[in-house]
């Protein structure tokens, strides 16, 4: 079970206000146009086999706000993870469709009655690839965030991460509604924005362990480059920009020989400014926050399945050793082969 919130923020820069077409009403430009999906509660199922894992999640029937006013949203998430030698690899894809405009009352003084706020035409797709390496092998990312191992003792480490992200926003109408749009902004009529960025992040991580209970976290900062392509009502274009990166993850719970129940928090931000970070005329930011509860029980697989898993792991490790070379490190973590 998870609560996966995605918030889209669009902002066109000065002027702060302007005259309407009738030259009678002075409009205040809202600081931000903020979109959120009406459904962020997901339920998923996952399977792990050796060092590989996959999980898919979809929205529950529970919407956060009245669907008669705010409409419906749909969400799909797919995650795949694997561990190769000293590297921990994650790949994730998520798709959101249907967003609610939360600031409409700021820029539209006539909006005073319940009517649908949903922007069914807005669809976002995101692909994230992460490769993480820790300097202290006594810290087990598998145990703290994946429950594929059991951390036996507290440990702390520094880490670095390579991250590739591709985000694609599409809409039938401009992201910024006419009444909120800066009439002098070149990018006010944008209906498509695609961002591809590669970032390098460094930071620290740690875990405290006591009788099966644990509390772990990792935080890092970095910088990267971003390729931006966009579509306006009259033209399309491409820009390049430098962007900041922030990496925050936390996990806690109980992880023992058979049973585990954990709570996890993951927060990510995508930042895109046009025409550039230092010359902002159009700003788009997405905040993705995921809070999830994982419950599991490890059954005894029996000798036949256990030997099959051990054989598969042996083949994987032999192949990786042949390609990348061998390495042996003492750890304070216990593998979970059930």
């Amino acid at each position: 079970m998870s609560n996966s919130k995605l918030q889209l923020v669009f902002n066109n820069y000065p002027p702060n206000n302007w005259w309407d077409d009738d030259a009678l009403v002075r409009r205040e430009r809202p600081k931000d146009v903020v979109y959120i999906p009406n459904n962020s509660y997901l339920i998923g199922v996952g399977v792990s086999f050796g060092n590989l894992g996959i999980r898919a999640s979809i929205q529950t029937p529970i919407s956060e706000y009245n669907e008669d006013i705010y409409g419906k949203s749909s969400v799909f998430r797919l995650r795949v993870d694997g561990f190769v030698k000293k590297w921990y690899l994650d790949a994730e894809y998520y798709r959101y469709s249907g967003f609610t405009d939360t600031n409409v009352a700021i820029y539209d003084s006539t909006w005073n009655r319940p009517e649908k706020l949903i922007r069914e035409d807005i669809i976002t797709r995101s692909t994230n690839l992460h490769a993480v390496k820790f300097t202290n092998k006594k810290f087990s990312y598998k145990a703290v965030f994946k429950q594929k191992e059991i951390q036996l003792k507290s440990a702390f480490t520094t880490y670095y991460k390579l991250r590739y992200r591709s985000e694609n926003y599409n809409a039938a109408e401009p992201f910024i509604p006419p009444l909120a749009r800066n009439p002098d902004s070149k990018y006010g009529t944008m209906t498509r924005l695609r961002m591809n960025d590669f970032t390098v992040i460094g930071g620290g991580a740690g875990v405290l362990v006591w009788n099966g209970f644990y509390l772990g976290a990792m935080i890092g900062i970095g910088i990267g480059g971003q390729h931006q392509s966009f579509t306006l009502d009259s033209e399309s274009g491409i820009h390049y920009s430098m962007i900041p990166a922030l990496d925050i993850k936390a996990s806690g719970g109980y992880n023992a020989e058979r049973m585990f129940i954990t709570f996890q928090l993951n927060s990510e931000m995508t930042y895109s400014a046009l025409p550039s970070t230092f010359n902002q005329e159009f700003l788009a930011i997405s905040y993705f926050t995921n809070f999830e509860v994982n419950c599991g029980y490890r059954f005894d697989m029996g000798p036949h399945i256990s030997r099959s898993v051990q054989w598969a792991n042996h083949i994987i490790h032999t192949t990786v050793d042949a390609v990348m070379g061998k390495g042996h490190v003492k750890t304070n973590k216990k593998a979970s082969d059930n």
Side-chain angles (χ1 to χ4, degrees), residues 108-289:
D108 186 358
S109 59
T110 66
W111 192 88
N112 56 9
R113 60 188 183 279
E115 61 183 45
K116 287 203 172 185
L117 294 177
I118 201 74
R119 282 288 302 269
E120 295 178 337
D121 60 310
I122 297 180
I123 299 175
T124 69
R125 298 176 177 87
S126 179
T127 302
N128 300 286
L129 306 177
H130 298 165
V132 191
K133 187 176 182 180
F134 297 92
T135 57
N136 182 3
K137 302 307 180 293
K138 294 183 178 181
F139 175 86
S140 173
Y141 184 85
K142 292 183 185 181
V144 178
F145 294 104
K146 299 298 181 180
Q147 290 77 55
K148 293 173 181 281
E149 293 181 335
I150 299 172
Q151 185 89 32
L152 299 178
K153 296 180 181 180
S154 301
F156 299 90
T157 182
T158 57
Y159 77 93
Y160 58 89
K161 173 188 283 191
L162 305 177
R163 183 179 72 188
Y164 168 78
R165 173 179 295 162
S166 175
E167 294 220 19
N168 194 348
Y169 305 157
N170 286 279
E173 300 293 332
F175 297 125
I176 300 179
L179 290 178
R181 194 177 305 156
N182 178 351
D184 298 323
S185 173
K186 169 184 176 181
Y187 303 97
T189 60
M190 185 181 298
T191 56
R192 177 184 175 273
L193 175 62
R194 182 164 187 172
M195 298 156 285
N196 294 286
D197 56 69
F198 181 80
T199 55
V200 178
I201 298 171
V207 57
L208 300 175
V209 179
W210 180 77
N211 288 343
F213 293 92
Y214 76 94
L215 182 64
M218 55 190 293
I219 181 170
I221 58 175
I223 192 170
Q226 184 179 82
H227 168 269
Q228 307 155 338
S229 62
F230 58 89
T231 300
L232 311 178
D233 61 352
S234 58
E235 64 176 289
S236 298
I238 294 175
H239 279 304
Y240 295 90
S241 181
M242 300 297 293
I243 60 169
L246 180 65
D247 185 39
I248 300 176
K249 291 176 72 72
S251 179
Y254 180 75
N255 186 16
E257 184 75 20
R258 290 295 182 185
M259 180 181 179
F260 64 84
I261 177 169
T262 66
F263 306 88
Q264 294 188 20
L265 176 67
N266 179 34
S267 180
E268 296 180 356
M269 179 185 73
T270 299
Y271 175 93
S272 180
L274 293 167
S276 69
T277 301
F278 303 103
N279 183 20
Q280 300 176 356
E281 182 180 334
F282 180 92
L283 181 65
I285 305 177
S286 70
Y287 300 94
F288 178 76
T289 303

Side-chain angles (χ1 to χ4, degrees), residues 99-114:
F99 286 82
T100 293
D101 185 346
T102 61
N103 281 11
V104 63
I106 296 177
Y107 60 80
D108 186 358
S109 59
T110 66
W111 192 88
N112 56 9
R113 60 188 183 279

